[in-house]
Tab-separated table of all heavy atoms in Angstrom:
chain	number	residue	atom	x	y	z
A	1	GLY	N	0.809	-1.226	0.084
A	1	GLY	CA	-0.068	-0.038	0.130
A	1	GLY	C	0.899	1.224	0.016
A	1	GLY	O	2.121	1.209	0.146
A	2	LEU	N	0.214	2.291	-0.298
A	2	LEU	CA	0.908	3.714	-0.260
A	2	LEU	C	0.572	4.573	0.917
A	2	LEU	O	-0.439	4.495	1.519
A	2	LEU	CB	0.501	4.450	-1.583
A	2	LEU	CG	0.774	3.683	-2.865
A	2	LEU	CD1	0.100	4.375	-4.031
A	2	LEU	CD2	2.318	3.847	-3.099
A	3	THR	N	1.503	5.307	1.230
A	3	THR	CA	1.395	6.280	2.263
A	3	THR	C	2.280	7.514	1.887
A	3	THR	O	3.063	7.506	0.974
A	3	THR	CB	1.813	5.701	3.613
A	3	THR	OG1	1.391	6.600	4.673
A	3	THR	CG2	3.337	5.503	3.720
A	4	GLN	N	1.942	8.582	2.570
A	4	GLN	CA	2.732	9.936	2.382
A	4	GLN	C	3.526	10.307	3.632
A	4	GLN	O	2.912	10.272	4.708
A	4	GLN	CB	1.839	11.042	2.030
A	4	GLN	CG	0.991	10.591	0.679
A	4	GLN	CD	-0.174	11.525	0.478
A	4	GLN	OE1	-0.361	12.496	1.239
A	4	GLN	NE2	-1.064	11.247	-0.407
A	5	VAL	N	4.732	10.617	3.399
A	5	VAL	CA	5.431	11.066	4.605
A	5	VAL	C	6.381	12.334	4.345
A	5	VAL	O	6.763	12.554	3.067
A	5	VAL	CB	6.608	9.895	5.124
A	5	VAL	CG1	5.729	8.738	5.632
A	5	VAL	CG2	7.492	9.530	3.954
A	6	ALA	N	6.652	13.082	5.366
A	6	ALA	CA	7.527	14.237	5.150
A	6	ALA	C	8.818	13.702	5.866
A	6	ALA	O	8.775	13.186	6.884
A	6	ALA	CB	6.917	15.424	5.969
A	7	LEU	N	9.894	13.884	5.094
A	7	LEU	CA	11.214	13.462	5.599
A	7	LEU	C	12.319	14.405	5.150
A	7	LEU	O	12.066	15.292	4.234
A	7	LEU	CB	11.487	12.076	5.294
A	7	LEU	CG	11.282	11.519	3.904
A	7	LEU	CD1	12.495	11.856	2.931
A	7	LEU	CD2	11.062	10.070	3.884
A	8	THR	N	13.597	14.247	5.536
A	8	THR	CA	14.623	14.966	4.952
A	8	THR	C	15.635	14.082	4.244
A	8	THR	O	15.881	12.905	4.737
A	8	THR	CB	15.381	15.802	6.110
A	8	THR	OG1	15.825	14.955	7.011
A	8	THR	CG2	14.404	16.797	6.650
A	9	LEU	N	16.240	14.553	3.234
A	9	LEU	CA	17.165	13.786	2.418
A	9	LEU	C	18.511	14.497	2.613
A	9	LEU	O	18.592	15.722	2.668
A	9	LEU	CB	16.743	13.766	0.897
A	9	LEU	CG	15.443	13.147	0.581
A	9	LEU	CD1	15.012	13.357	-0.824
A	9	LEU	CD2	15.399	11.708	0.946
A	10	VAL	N	19.541	13.679	2.466
A	10	VAL	CA	20.893	14.170	2.579
A	10	VAL	C	21.689	13.829	1.292
A	10	VAL	O	21.207	12.723	0.678
A	10	VAL	CB	21.721	13.649	3.890
A	10	VAL	CG1	21.062	14.259	5.068
A	10	VAL	CG2	21.823	12.171	3.942
A	11	PRO	N	22.735	14.556	0.931
A	11	PRO	CA	23.362	14.167	-0.330
A	11	PRO	C	24.241	13.079	-0.355
A	11	PRO	O	25.421	13.069	-0.543
A	11	PRO	CB	24.076	15.449	-0.721
A	11	PRO	CG	24.249	16.159	0.656
A	11	PRO	CD	23.126	15.739	1.491
A	12	VAL	N	23.807	11.841	0.062
A	12	VAL	CA	24.527	10.634	0.073
A	12	VAL	C	23.722	9.707	-0.944
A	12	VAL	O	22.654	9.160	-0.551
A	12	VAL	CB	24.591	9.917	1.483
A	12	VAL	CG1	25.249	8.576	1.391
A	12	VAL	CG2	25.347	10.954	2.378
A	13	ILE	N	24.223	9.478	-2.029
A	13	ILE	CA	23.486	8.914	-3.124
A	13	ILE	C	24.254	7.629	-3.617
A	13	ILE	O	25.457	7.743	-3.775
A	13	ILE	CB	23.195	9.906	-4.263
A	13	ILE	CG1	22.405	11.068	-3.756
A	13	ILE	CG2	22.364	9.146	-5.413
A	13	ILE	CD1	22.395	12.250	-4.808
A	14	GLY	N	23.548	6.591	-3.843
A	14	GLY	CA	24.253	5.375	-4.242
A	14	GLY	C	23.293	4.582	-5.198
A	14	GLY	O	22.189	5.041	-5.568
A	15	LYS	N	23.790	3.483	-5.584
A	15	LYS	CA	22.967	2.595	-6.489
A	15	LYS	C	22.871	1.210	-5.804
A	15	LYS	O	23.826	0.810	-5.054
A	15	LYS	CB	23.659	2.343	-7.833
A	15	LYS	CG	23.545	3.579	-8.798
A	15	LYS	CD	23.400	3.229	-10.162
A	15	LYS	CE	23.143	4.293	-11.018
A	15	LYS	NZ	22.324	4.026	-12.042
A	16	THR	N	21.724	0.646	-5.862
A	16	THR	CA	21.475	-0.680	-5.461
A	16	THR	C	22.065	-1.685	-6.442
A	16	THR	O	22.370	-1.417	-7.532
A	16	THR	CB	20.026	-0.945	-5.157
A	16	THR	OG1	19.338	-0.977	-6.449
A	16	THR	CG2	19.316	0.045	-4.291
A	17	ALA	N	21.986	-3.026	-6.028
A	17	ALA	CA	22.520	-4.061	-6.781
A	17	ALA	C	21.611	-4.132	-8.116
A	17	ALA	O	22.115	-4.596	-9.203
A	17	ALA	CB	22.371	-5.404	-6.126
A	18	ARG	N	20.321	-3.796	-8.047
A	18	ARG	CA	19.492	-3.729	-9.158
A	18	ARG	C	19.577	-2.458	-10.015
A	18	ARG	O	18.978	-2.386	-11.043
A	18	ARG	CB	17.995	-3.751	-8.736
A	18	ARG	CG	17.619	-5.030	-8.117
A	18	ARG	CD	16.054	-5.175	-7.952
A	18	ARG	NE	15.364	-5.027	-9.099
A	18	ARG	CZ	14.158	-4.961	-9.262
A	18	ARG	NH1	13.366	-5.001	-8.181
A	18	ARG	NH2	13.579	-5.028	-10.376
A	19	GLY	N	20.409	-1.575	-9.674
A	19	GLY	CA	20.583	-0.332	-10.385
A	19	GLY	C	19.656	0.782	-10.061
A	19	GLY	O	19.576	1.781	-10.738
A	20	ASP	N	18.846	0.518	-8.978
A	20	ASP	CA	17.943	1.615	-8.536
A	20	ASP	C	18.775	2.649	-7.701
A	20	ASP	O	20.025	2.291	-7.256
A	20	ASP	CB	16.954	1.112	-7.552
A	20	ASP	CG	16.071	0.028	-8.255
A	20	ASP	OD1	15.810	0.206	-9.525
A	20	ASP	OD2	15.566	-0.830	-7.616
A	21	ILE	N	18.362	3.842	-7.582
A	21	ILE	CA	19.037	4.937	-6.791
A	21	ILE	C	18.428	4.828	-5.335
A	21	ILE	O	17.406	4.790	-5.009
A	21	ILE	CB	18.643	6.273	-7.471
A	21	ILE	CG1	19.254	6.347	-8.892
A	21	ILE	CG2	19.192	7.403	-6.613
A	21	ILE	CD1	18.751	7.546	-9.661
A	22	SER	N	19.575	4.980	-4.465
A	22	SER	CA	19.247	4.972	-3.105
A	22	SER	C	19.848	6.278	-2.567
A	22	SER	O	20.808	6.710	-2.747
A	22	SER	CB	19.967	3.822	-2.454
A	22	SER	OG	19.946	3.860	-0.965
A	23	VAL	N	18.950	6.992	-1.701
A	23	VAL	CA	19.380	8.191	-1.064
A	23	VAL	C	19.173	8.113	0.460
A	23	VAL	O	18.062	7.617	0.895
A	23	VAL	CB	18.539	9.399	-1.622
A	23	VAL	CG1	18.900	10.773	-0.917
A	23	VAL	CG2	18.667	9.460	-3.120
A	24	ARG	N	20.160	8.514	1.219
A	24	ARG	CA	19.932	8.544	2.683
A	24	ARG	C	18.895	9.629	3.043
A	24	ARG	O	18.821	10.699	2.585
A	24	ARG	CB	21.320	8.783	3.335
A	24	ARG	CG	21.207	8.671	4.891
A	24	ARG	CD	22.511	9.095	5.528
A	24	ARG	NE	23.585	8.089	5.081
A	24	ARG	CZ	24.835	8.315	5.249
A	24	ARG	NH1	25.240	9.472	5.809
A	24	ARG	NH2	25.672	7.444	4.756
A	25	GLY	N	18.073	9.175	3.993
A	25	GLY	CA	16.985	10.080	4.420
A	25	GLY	C	16.791	9.869	5.929
A	25	GLY	O	17.221	8.908	6.506
């Protein structure tokens, strides 16, 4: 299911093994 959240992101960006983008939050 879906939900909505307020969060903060930091500029730590990587890639997962599947090639998706991961950002620290």
